[in-house]
């Protein structure tokens, strides 16, 4: 399973599939249905629908439509063990 920021998840009407805005290597966006697992206030587990390493939009989700071209600003977080 993959973990994405909760703000990356688009939810519609009750009964509709949750979506993420996936960004391909050329910067083109597409709405991608996902299957969610566990969720917290800040993160959501994605069981199916995107691949490991897939970049997803976390802001301006409602302003993006399939085929738009964006320049992702990637934030990298590293887990540290004590």
């Amino acid at each position: 399973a993959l973990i994405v920021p909760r703000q990356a998840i688009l939810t519609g009407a009750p009964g509709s599939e949750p979506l993420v805005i996936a960004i391909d290597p050329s910067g083109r966006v597409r709405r991608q249905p996902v299957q969610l697992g566990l969720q917290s206030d800040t993160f959501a587990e994605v069981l199916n629908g995107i691949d490991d390493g897939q970049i997803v939009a976390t802001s301006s989700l409602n302003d993006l439509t399939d085929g738009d071209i964006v320049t992702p600003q990637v934030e990298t977080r590293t887990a540290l063990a004590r």
Side-chain angles (χ1 to χ4, degrees), residues 23-68:
I23 304 171
D24 73 16
S26 66
R28 190 171 308 274
V29 303
R30 66 178 160 71
R31 291 176 182 251
Q32 179 67 38
V34 292
Q35 179 185 4
L36 299 179
L38 299 174
Q39 299 174 54
S40 72
D41 290 339
T42 53
F43 294 100
E45 177 186 33
V46 177
L47 301 174
N48 197 342
I50 58 172
D51 295 324
D52 184 25
Q54 176 71 59
I55 296 174
V56 296
T58 58
S59 63
S60 303
L61 302 183
N62 291 315
D63 297 332
L64 296 172
T65 58
D66 285 353
D68 284 352

Side-chain angles (χ1 to χ4, degrees), residues 6-12 17-21 31 61-62:
R6 180 67 187 231
Q7 71 262 27
I9 306 296
L10 273 171
T11 55
E17 289 183 298
L19 304 167
V20 296
I21 304 292
R31 291 176 182 251
L61 302 183
N62 291 315

